[in-house]
């Protein structure tokens, strides 16, 4: 059975943030199976009964949402420049959702929103290699030998990229090109940096596929709840590596 830190279990239940949960523990307001716990590192599993101020925490329903993020929204929870955040879209829901991984402010496409920490681990830990496909419009042409290099892996400042899938969708129109790039890594600004490596600027970037999930049926800014079988399949595919 999965064990997680006590402060995380409290945060997952939606009672408060992880940082505030730590304070509750330090203040002696948290009990596990009837015993007050002061240890920040202690681990709990789903069979442990956790109480805050003598009140059992509710185990929050897990929510998984496929959101078609438009450009012009940041996917971190807070922004120091006061720009719109994806979390604002889901503020009216009575669960605290956060994005699984990130998309840049200028990137649109599939962003999964959830309150499920275990699911997020499966989706984002590099060892599970979830495949993501990006439709990329570039200002210029990625030549055949460069496409081959990209397929094999190229060296960026944070190391060599894993082999990528590169498919040309439209070539040479107005000296611009549209490609589909499939990668399983999730480094910061990775797709943009992979093209910058060849001196090419990305002018439009959309994540069109996340493992087997697509944007079918959604317009920009719309979302839908993932079905239980879809969540199960994503986790199974992650475990498959
Ligand atoms: N790669 C990028 O460069 N940006 C994104 O938003 C996602 C992948």
């Amino acid at each position: 059975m999965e064990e997680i830190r006590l402060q995380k279990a409290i945060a997952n239940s939606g009672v408060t943030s992880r940082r505030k949960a730590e304070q509750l523990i330090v203040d002696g307001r948290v009990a596990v199976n009837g015993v007050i716990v002061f240890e920040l590192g202690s681990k709990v599993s789903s069979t442990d009964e956790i109480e805050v101020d003598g009140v059992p925490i509710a185990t929050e329903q897990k929510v998984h949402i496929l959101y078609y993020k438009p450009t012009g929204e940041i996917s971190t929870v807070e922004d120091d420049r006061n720009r719109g955040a994806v979390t604002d879209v889901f503020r009216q829901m009575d669960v605290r959702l956060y994005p699984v991984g990130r998309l840049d402010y200028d990137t649109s496409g599939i962003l999964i929103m959830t309150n499920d920490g275990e699911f997020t681990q499966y989706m984002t830990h590099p060892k599970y290699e979830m495949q993501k496909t990006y439709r990329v419009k570039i200002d210029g042409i990625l030549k055949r030998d460069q496409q081959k290099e990209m397929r094999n892996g190229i060296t960026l400042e944070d190391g060599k990229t894993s082999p990528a899938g590169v498919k040309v969708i439209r070539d040479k129109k107005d000296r611009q090109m549209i490609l589909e790039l499939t990668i399983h890594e999730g480094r910061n600004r990775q797709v943009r940096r992979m093209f910058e490596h060849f001196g090419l600027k990305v002018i439009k970037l959309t994540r069109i596929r996340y493992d087997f999930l697509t944007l079918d049926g959604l317009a920009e800014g719309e979302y839908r709840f993932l079905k239980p079988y879809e969540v199960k399949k994503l986790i199974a595919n992650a475990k498959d590596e």
Side-chain angles (χ1 to χ4, degrees):
M1 189 175 303
E2 197 212 8
E3 288 206 322
I4 58 172
R5 284 169 180 264
L6 180 53
Q7 55 267 43
K8 191 170 175 212
I10 298 170
N12 285 354
S13 78
V15 171
T16 186
S17 69
R18 200 182 306 188
R19 212 161 349 109
K20 287 188 182 144
E22 288 176 355
Q23 194 57 49
L24 291 174
I25 296 169
V26 172
D27 292 343
R29 293 169 60 188
V30 177
V32 177
N33 303 323
V35 180
I36 301 276
V37 172
F38 295 93
E39 273 286 315
L40 284 182
S42 46
K43 297 272 183 84
V44 289
S45 74
S46 56
T47 56
D48 289 312
E49 188 157 311
I50 304 164
E51 291 168 317
V52 175
D53 293 332
V55 180
I57 60 169
T59 332
E60 197 175 53
Q61 188 83 15
K62 300 285 186 249
V63 176
H64 310 83
I65 284 174
L66 194 169
Y67 177 43
Y68 188 163
K69 175 194 172 302
T71 57
E73 279 178 11
I74 56 141
S75 54
T76 44
V77 177
E78 277 164 38
D79 181 42
D80 50 10
R81 284 197 268 161
N82 233 355
R83 294 176 294 183
V86 290
T87 44
D88 293 343
V89 179
F90 303 96
R91 190 136 289 161
Q92 82 284 3
M93 290 191 184
D94 55 2
V95 284
R96 284 147 42 89
L97 298 179
Y98 54 83
V100 174
R102 282 186 188 185
L103 285 182
D104 298 335
Y105 184 77
D106 291 327
T107 303
S108 57
I110 299 179
L111 188 65
I112 300 176
M113 303 292 297
T114 190
N115 57 351
D116 184 344
E118 193 178 356
F119 171 82
T120 302
Q121 270 291 106
Y122 281 119
M123 295 305 108
T124 55
H125 196 292
K127 79 173 174 196
Y128 296 121
E129 302 194 351
M130 297 305 284
Q131 300 282 339
K132 286 147 291 202
T133 300
Y134 296 86
R135 183 170 275 242
V136 193
K137 185 173 185 187
I138 53 170
D139 196 14
I141 298 297
L142 185 72
K143 302 197 183 77
R144 273 175 182 272
D145 54 331
Q146 295 172 327
Q147 291 170 27
K148 198 169 157 206
E149 266 189 74
M150 212 179 249
R151 285 193 188 99
N152 291 332
I154 51 179
T155 303
L156 303 178
E157 64 202 23
D158 50 359
K160 193 168 179 207
T161 59
S162 296
V166 180
K167 190 168 145 196
V168 176
I169 303 295
R170 208 173 72 201
D171 201 352
K172 294 214 163 70
K173 190 168 182 280
D174 305 314
R175 301 291 299 159
Q176 291 177 342
M177 196 177 202
I178 296 177
L179 306 103
E180 283 181 9
L181 182 72
T182 302
I183 57 174
H184 60 74
E185 297 161 293
R187 302 191 215 163
N188 192 29
R189 296 186 67 257
Q190 179 164 345
V191 174
R192 292 176 202 275
R193 289 192 293 126
M194 286 172 77
F195 285 93
E196 278 162 17
H197 176 82
F198 297 107
L200 293 163
K201 191 172 181 325
V202 169
I203 44 183
K204 191 162 193 280
L205 184 57
T206 305
R207 181 151 73 190
I208 57 168
R209 183 180 283 270
Y210 194 109
D211 194 48
F212 67 90
L213 297 174
T214 67
L215 290 164
D216 284 359
L218 292 178
E220 258 187 70
E222 289 183 346
Y223 63 85
R224 69 173 179 86
F225 288 87
L226 290 182
K227 307 207 168 60
Y229 82 84
E230 291 177 310
V231 175
K232 273 203 195 119
K233 190 167 165 187
L234 285 168
I235 293 174
N237 289 353
K239 285 181 175 167
D240 247 7
E241 293 174 44

